[in-house]
Structures are given as C-alpha cells and as structure tokens.
Amino acid sequence: MAPGLDFSDWGAKETRKGTPVVVKMENPNYSVVEIEDPDAAFRPVEKSRGKNAKQVTWVLLLKAHRAVGCVAWIATLFWALLGTIKKRLIFRQDVDMASEKLGKGKLLFTVIKAFLVTSLTILAFEIIAYFNGWHYFQNPSLHIPRTSEIQGLFHLVYVTWLWFRADYIAPLIQALSKFCVALFLIQSADRMVLCLGCFWIKYKKIKPRIEGNPFKSNDVEGSGYDYPMVLVQIPMCNEREVYEQSISAVCQLDWPKDRLLIQVLDDSDDESIQCLIKAEVATWNQRGINIIYRHRLIRTGYKAGNLKSAMSCEYVQAYEFVAIFDADFQPNPDFLKQTVPHFKDNPELGLVQARWTFVNKDENLLTRLQNINLCFHFEVEQQVNSVFLNFFGFNGTAGVWRIRALEESGGWLERTTVEDMDIAVRAHLNGWKFIFLNDVKVLCEVPESYEAYRKQQHRWHSGPMHLFRLCLPAIITSKIAIWKKANLILLFFLLRKLILPFYSFTLFCIILPLTMFVPEAELPVWVICYVPVFMSFLNILPAPKSFPFIAPYLLFENTMSVTKFNAMVSGLFKLGSSYEWVVTKKAGRSSESDLLAAAERESKTTNQLQIQRGASESELTELNRLKAAPVPVKRVNKIYRKELTLAFLLLTASVRSLLSAQGVHFYFLLFQGVTFLLVGLDLIGEQMS
C-alpha cells in the first residue's frame, strides 16, 4: 500500500510539539539524549546523503568497469573492421570486384579518384603549413601574406595556392553549393507538404470505403451475388526460391472459381525451374483451381513483354479486371474482396493499389533501412497523392487494373524497364483515376544483400529518367489540366526522380569534402546537420520502431546517392545500362502462417500422392530431385570501388577539418566516410544478431 501523503502543512512554519524531556543516567557509559518531540523516536531514520569512502570507491569501480567495457567493445569493433579490410582489400579473400558496365561507371569512378588524389595532395600541403605555423586557413578573412613575408619556395607555392583558391575555386564551389542548397530546401519543403497531407488524412480519417454489399445482384431469380470476372497474373523469371509460396497464396484467394483465372507467366530459362513450376501448377489444377502455365519462346521486353504476351490471349477478353503479383508476393485470401469492390459504380477508376509489407524487414541492417524508405513511400507519398490527386506511380505488383483502362492507354510497352510507371502515366493522361488502399497489405520480400539492392535501385532510378525523355512530348500535348501537367513534370519526374539524387550526391559527397580544403565556401551547420536530421525524422515517422536507426538511415541514404546519381545520369542520357533488367534475388522467406501451412501440407502426403496419381514413379522421383534444396554456394563479397574511393575522400576531408577545429563537420565526415567504407566492403547486408 502506498503511504498517505498530507500536503496541508507544507506552507506552515516548523513548530515544536510536546514537552522537552531530559533523561540523565548515572552510568557514564550512556550519553545524554534530548527528545524534543514524542514522535521523533518513532520516525524512520533519514539516511545521510553523504557516502563513505568505501561506497564511493565501489561506485567509481563500477563506472570504470562500464567505461572499460564500452572501450573494449569499440576496440573489438574497430579491430574486426581492420581485419575485414585486411582480408578483403589486401588479401582479396572471398571477394570479387564489382564490374562497371560500359564507360559511364568508369568515368564517374575516374572523377572521384581525381578528387581523392587532389584532396590528399592539398591535405599534405595543409599539414606541412600547419606545422610551419602558417595558419592562414584559421583566419576567416584569409589574410594572404605579401611578397616581403614569403619564407621560401614552398611557402611561395602555398601562398600561390591560397590566392588561386580564394579567387577562382571558391566562387565556383560557392555558386554550386548555393544551387544545391536551394534544391535541397525545395525538396525538403515537398517532403514537409507530403507529411502535412498525411497528418490531415489521419486526422480526418480519410480513406476509400466500400458501401453496402457490392456483390449483391439485383436479379431476384439469380443466385443473389454477382462477382466480376478477374484475371490474376504471376510473372516470374528463375524464381526457384519463391514460386511455390506465391502460387499457393494466389490459389487460395477467396473468389468464385468460375469467375477467376490464374496465369503463371514463366520466363525462366532454367529448364529445372520450368519443370518445378509446371508441376506446381498441375498440382493446383488437379485440386480444381482454374490455373494455367505460360512460357514464352521469345523472351523479349522483360516483364512488360511477358505481360503483353499474356494479355494478347483471346480468352482475356472475357475478363474485366486483372490483378498482378510478382513472384515473391503472398496476398491474403480476401485480397480481391477488399480491392475489386472499389470499381463498382466508379467507371473512371482504373487502378486499385495495395500496400506492401515485408516478411524479412528485421533480417539485417539493410532490410531495416529499406523498410523505413518503403513505409514512407506507401504511408505518405502514395496515400497523399491518391487522396488529393487521384494519381500515383503504379508499383508493378499487388494492384488490380481495369482491363479497359490498360487497353485504352496503349497496353504494356517494352520501351523502358519501369513498365509500371509507364502505364500509370499514360493512363493518367487518358483521364483514369487511381486509388491506394493503405490498410490492404500484401506480404513480400526486400533484398537482403547490398548487391541485389544496388541493382534494384539502379533500375528504379534509371528507368524513370528514360521514361521522362519518352513521355515529355505526350505530357505537353495531352488534354489534361495544366496543373496536372505541372505536377507530372515538376514534381513527379524532376523533383522526386532527378533533383533528389543530384543534390544528395553533389552536396554531401563532393561539395562538402571539398569545402574542407576551400574554407571560403564552407557549408553552414544547418545544411549538413539540422535539416537532414529533421527530414530523416519525418521519413521515419511511418515506421516508429525504426527510430533507433535514424543516424544509420541518414548516412546510408547519402551513401546510396552514388548509385542513384549514376543511374539517373544513365537513364537521362540513354546510356548503355539504362535498359538493363536484373532480376532481384529472393531469399524465399516465409511468414509464420506460411510455415504452419507448409507443415499442414507435409502432414497430407497421402492426399498429394493421390492428386499426382497421373504421374509415374520415375516422374515423381525426378520432381523430388529437382525440389531438393540446391547445394548452398559460398557467398562471395563484392568490392565496390566508387564507394571505397569516396570513403577515403571523406575520411581525408575529416582529417583536414581537424586542423581548422570544425567539430560538427569532422564528425559528419568521419561517420559518413565509415558508412561508405562499410558499403564498399559489402558489410552493410551482414546478418544481425
């Protein structure tokens, strides 16, 4: 029981109560005690706030133990990093150099190397000047000594460098940095507007709703329910790890069997995978599911070509809607009943997009950082654009299209690697509206290795710029409102697809380290610290459990700007890798419900054997051999040269910032350089304990 508290006498003066009593004892061994208050003897003795020497010693020892443990942990981490650098960079054990396609990647790498060599040279000059007492860089006015003050040939060279730096290099860097800072502020304002829009949606509880029973038929003599014809497509290519769980999830969709057709669009060039997928389709077909297997002989156009070929079938004309799921997506059984009803009594609606959720988001640091980005994309960008503009970029999967909208917009085109964005833009130009359902979620995977994530991001950032080149004339000449044209050109393409990777790479990876050697163009602290941290805070809001990763998220986003900038340039200028599709490697992760379903399927072996009664014993043996898990291949880490070179450039700049006592700049450059080093050594995707 909590003790009672009486606050009535707190403001009163302290008064003595009772009669003082003096007790004297004849025995001299006893001391004289004066009791002023009868209750005083029964009050708890107040412990002194002071501590004896032994207690202080123990506290200090405990704090020292914690400090030593922290230092030991940091030292162990640093030693492990040095060991990894020695193993992967010097001895090249279990590593492979990441290759660059054509000349554009090598050109960017050459430019970064030139910056690094220049920075090292200037740093050597600055260190020698520092020990000689030529502290001119510490003077904000940059006093350049006169001819009479020259102390030798080296001093003359250094003074000439100061003069050339102040008159020619600093103005150029200042102009470029001001331009990038302006773009940075514009993009930050766009993010804030999106976040305010999201807060307004949450406050007003705005979301698409289904009125009544959308499938109830007006025909009294009929069955009472009228379900539209739905086509489900699962495009895949060499998806050994995930084909089974995706086909299983789609085949369990809650929809009348006679109103549903599933197309498995297999573009695999591995015959063993083709056999496995065919067997899986046959199994579900014998269970009564209306599912067919399609394989193209001429595999052109990547995913767009695959979808285009499937839509050309004659039987597709009988269907009104088409749902698309990539090979790693696992929709819930009620997916169609949560999405298709929105089309009823809404003839202008062309697309209903569901949200992604990730089964492996906690697998390692890389997946956690991807989860932050994608949560912001769906929760903020897609939802706000859906509510206020009725337009957003189709995510390529976990969506339902009205087939008439696809046909009137020109169908799937093979001209870019972002066929989903391409069809969305063309449908928007034709007047179709889109809806995003934030509370309808479909399980999928995010890449677990940096190599797979890097290739995925290259396609996601080169494709939009390639599409922008192709769509710009159509946008300008379209009949939509001017403000919609402005939104497409200025916000959708330029600001969010071009400006973001440009200023992020230029400002934080090039200009910032250079300003350490050209202090006349130094960036203010709010540009490199306060605003980026605030924007990272906004990005993490949709994923509140990721707040401990705000610093790694900020640093990793700056690191990824190299890949995104490289991809943006290749797409904008139509370089060799702008039309390159690399299938994102999947790990085949399953949710807890999937594992339970797998265990249930294992317990029904006899039923499966009856379903496969048409197959001979040799065919079943061959199928089991193909289904056997492949021999695990030892992972070979990649060495990414651009990231490593930028790591050394940033670390060099951090050393230079120490000479001029720039604390915030030093720590930012140091941590950013270490992040580049971890990414360059392919450590960012390592398993988390």
Side-chain angles (χ1 to χ4, degrees):
M1 178 182 295
L5 298 177
D6 185 9
F7 302 99
S8 59
D9 295 330
W10 275 27
K13 293 183 180 179
E14 183 180 357
T15 57
R16 295 185 178 183
K17 298 179 181 180
T19 304
V21 178
V22 178
V23 181
K24 295 183 179 179
M25 306 296 295
E26 294 180 358
N27 193 338
N29 292 330
Y30 292 91
S31 59
V32 178
V33 179
E34 180 178 352
I35 303 176
E36 297 182 352
D37 188 348
D39 299 331
F42 303 98
R43 291 178 182 172
V45 180
E46 295 184 0
K47 295 183 179 180
S48 175
R49 294 185 179 180
K51 297 179 180 179
N52 57 34
K54 184 179 293 186
Q55 289 176 322
V56 172
T57 302
W58 279 109
V59 170
L60 292 177
L61 286 175
L62 181 61
K63 291 183 177 181
H65 175 73
R66 291 176 178 175
V68 170
C70 182
V71 172
W73 179 81
I74 295 175
T76 303
L77 187 64
F78 181 70
W79 187 257
L81 180 60
L82 289 180
T84 303
I85 294 174
K86 177 181 177 182
K87 177 182 177 181
R88 297 188 181 179
L89 279 184
I90 300 177
F91 295 106
R92 300 291 180 90
Q93 297 180 6
D94 301 329
V95 296
D96 186 20
M97 194 67 67
S99 60
E100 301 291 349
K101 296 294 180 79
L102 300 179
K104 52 93 189 175
K106 295 181 180 179
L107 177 61
L108 181 60
F109 177 59
T110 303
V111 172
I112 297 174
K113 279 198 302 184
F115 277 121
L116 175 60
V117 173
T118 305
S119 300
L120 290 172
T121 305
I122 297 174
L123 179 63
F125 267 96
E126 297 286 4
I127 292 176
I128 296 174
Y130 180 82
F131 285 108
N132 285 335
W134 306 332
H135 306 317
Y136 306 121
F137 49 80
Q138 293 182 354
N139 189 350
S141 61
L142 190 63
H143 167 71
I144 298 179
R146 296 178 238 175
T147 307
S148 58
E149 302 176 6
I150 300 299
Q151 302 176 9
L153 179 61
F154 183 80
H155 193 195
L156 176 63
V157 173
Y158 182 66
V159 170
T160 304
W161 154 247
L162 293 181
W163 167 79
F164 181 78
R165 184 184 78 185
D167 289 352
Y168 294 98
I169 299 180
L172 293 176
I173 296 181
Q174 286 175 342
L176 183 59
S177 62
K178 289 179 180 178
F179 178 67
C180 290
V181 169
L183 297 179
F184 177 41
L185 294 178
I186 293 172
Q187 197 271 338
S188 300
D190 175 61
R191 286 292 175 101
M192 290 189 63
V193 170
L194 288 174
C195 290
L196 291 175
C198 184
F199 291 147
W200 180 258
I201 292 171
K202 296 293 184 185
Y203 175 71
K204 290 293 185 178
K205 298 180 180 179
I206 302 173
K207 66 177 182 178
R209 289 180 172 84
I210 302 173
E211 300 295 338
N213 189 346
F215 304 116
K216 190 171 183 179
S217 175
N218 296 325
D219 185 7
V220 180
E221 297 180 357
S223 61
Y225 292 93
D226 184 15
Y227 289 88
M229 299 286 285
V230 178
L231 175 68
V232 180
Q233 295 177 331
I234 314 176
M236 57 179 64
C237 181
N238 297 325
E239 307 280 5
R240 177 188 290 270
E241 296 82 8
V242 294
Y243 77 92
E244 190 172 2
Q245 60 194 30
S246 63
I247 294 176
S248 173
V250 171
C251 288
Q252 297 178 50
L253 288 172
D254 185 11
W255 201 258
K257 295 181 180 180
D258 60 333
R259 315 293 290 177
L260 179 69
L261 173 64
I262 301 171
Q263 286 181 320
V264 177
L265 311 177
D266 182 24
D267 257 4
S268 303
D269 55 5
D270 189 332
E271 293 185 359
S272 63
I273 299 178
Q274 294 177 26
C275 293
L276 291 173
I277 298 175
K278 286 180 182 178
E280 185 70 17
V281 170
T283 300
W284 286 101
N285 201 352
Q286 293 178 11
R287 294 182 183 180
I289 303 298
N290 194 10
I291 182 172
I292 59 175
Y293 173 87
R294 278 181 56 87
H295 179 75
R296 294 191 299 162
L297 297 178
I298 303 176
R299 301 167 56 250
T300 58
Y302 301 117
K303 181 180 176 181
N306 198 0
L307 294 172
K308 181 179 179 180
S309 174
M311 294 298 293
S312 64
C313 299
E314 292 184 2
Y315 55 79
V316 173
Q317 297 177 3
Y319 292 85
E320 188 177 357
F321 304 104
V322 55
I324 303 173
F325 299 101
D326 282 351
D328 60 315
F329 279 71
Q330 307 166 49
N332 291 326
D334 61 348
F335 175 84
L336 292 179
K337 290 189 174 180
Q338 289 184 312
T339 54
V340 174
H342 290 278
F343 289 98
K344 188 175 183 181
D345 300 327
N346 195 354
E348 296 181 346
L349 183 61
L351 167 67
V352 174
Q353 173 71 59
R355 180 174 176 169
W356 302 357
T357 184
F358 312 104
V359 69
N360 61 337
K361 63 182 179 180
D362 297 327
E363 189 64 25
N364 55 42
L365 178 60
L366 178 61
T367 59
R368 290 177 182 270
L369 300 180
Q370 291 178 74
N371 180 60
I372 295 173
N373 261 340
L374 292 169
C375 283
F376 181 86
H377 169 69
F378 287 108
E379 185 90 13
V380 180
E381 293 178 340
Q382 298 291 75
Q383 188 171 208
V384 170
N385 289 326
S386 170
V387 170
F388 295 103
L389 301 176
N390 293 122
F391 167 73
F392 49 84
F394 175 45
N395 294 116
T397 178
V400 181
W401 276 95
R402 190 189 297 270
I403 294 180
R404 187 161 63 89
L406 291 177
E407 293 173 348
E408 291 184 0
S409 303
W412 300 104
L413 298 182
E414 306 171 12
R415 56 183 183 173
T416 69
T417 57
V418 284
E419 75 295 326
D420 45 9
M421 186 181 295
D422 187 2
I423 188 63
V425 170
R426 287 185 280 116
H428 180 57
L429 295 179
N430 280 286
W432 291 98
K433 295 181 179 180
F434 304 161
I435 282 180
F436 174 74
L437 303 178
N438 190 53
D439 37 350
V440 179
K441 301 176 181 180
V442 181
L443 270 178
C444 63
E445 289 186 18
V446 288
E448 296 182 8
S449 68
Y450 178 70
E451 180 185 9
Y453 179 63
R454 185 170 177 258
K455 292 177 179 178
Q456 181 196 69
Q457 292 299 305
H458 185 278
R459 175 167 55 87
W460 285 5
H461 286 81
S462 65
M465 286 295 96
H466 187 197
L467 178 63
F468 179 62
R469 288 169 51 97
L470 300 173
C471 284
L472 184 58
I475 295 173
I476 296 175
T477 59
S478 65
K479 297 180 180 180
I480 62 175
I482 296 179
W483 68 270
K484 291 184 178 180
K485 295 181 182 180
N487 172 68
L488 268 177
I489 297 174
L490 300 179
L491 294 181
F492 186 76
F493 279 113
L494 291 182
L495 183 60
R496 297 167 188 164
K497 303 297 188 298
L498 187 148
I499 289 177
L500 176 59
F502 170 77
Y503 86 75
S504 183
F505 171 73
T506 308
L507 188 62
F508 295 107
C509 300
I510 299 298
I511 294 179
L512 178 59
L514 288 183
T515 55
M516 295 298 99
F517 303 98
V518 187
E520 298 86 354
E522 179 182 335
L523 292 173
V525 175
W526 61 269
V527 172
I528 65 173
C529 182
Y530 302 145
V531 176
V533 169
F534 178 69
M535 299 314 299
S536 299
F537 174 80
L538 291 181
N539 286 358
I540 290 182
L541 282 179
K545 293 183 180 180
S546 301
F547 271 106
F549 301 95
I550 185 170
Y553 171 74
L554 171 61
L555 298 172
F556 182 68
E557 281 300 294
N558 291 337
T559 305
M560 282 304 300
S561 65
V562 183
T563 299
K564 296 176 182 179
F565 175 81
N566 195 18
M568 181 268 294
V569 172
S570 67
L572 186 62
F573 297 102
K574 203 176 179 181
L575 299 177
S577 61
S578 62
Y579 192 71
E580 177 188 16
W581 184 299
V582 179
V583 178
T584 305
K585 184 174 178 56
K586 315 295 192 311
R589 304 288 179 186
S590 299
S591 62
E592 185 177 353
S593 59
D594 297 323
L595 295 176
L596 292 175
E600 184 180 354
R601 287 197 301 269
E602 289 294 331
S603 65
K604 298 180 179 180
T605 308
T606 56
N607 294 335
Q608 289 187 359
L609 290 176
Q610 287 181 353
I611 291 173
Q612 295 177 342
R613 60 185 179 273
S616 64
E617 184 177 353
S618 60
E619 289 174 337
L620 291 176
T621 304
E622 179 66 15
L623 183 61
N624 291 331
R625 185 187 66 81
L626 293 175
K627 278 190 175 183
V631 179
V633 180
K634 187 177 182 180
R635 180 185 174 188
V636 177
N637 296 93
K638 297 285 185 180
I639 297 295
Y640 301 99
R641 296 182 295 176
K642 288 195 293 291
E643 285 79 359
L644 279 179
T645 308
L646 276 169
F648 295 132
L649 173 62
L650 291 165
L651 293 174
T652 302
S654 68
V655 175
R656 170 62 181 80
S657 66
L658 281 177
L659 300 179
S660 52
Q662 296 169 309
V664 176
H665 294 73
F666 166 73
Y667 286 114
F668 182 85
L669 289 167
L670 176 64
F671 291 132
Q672 189 66 71
V674 172
T675 306
F676 267 104
L677 185 63
L678 295 175
V679 171
L681 294 174
D682 200 9
L683 289 171
I684 196 68
E686 295 291 338
Q687 205 79 4
M688 293 181 66
S689 58

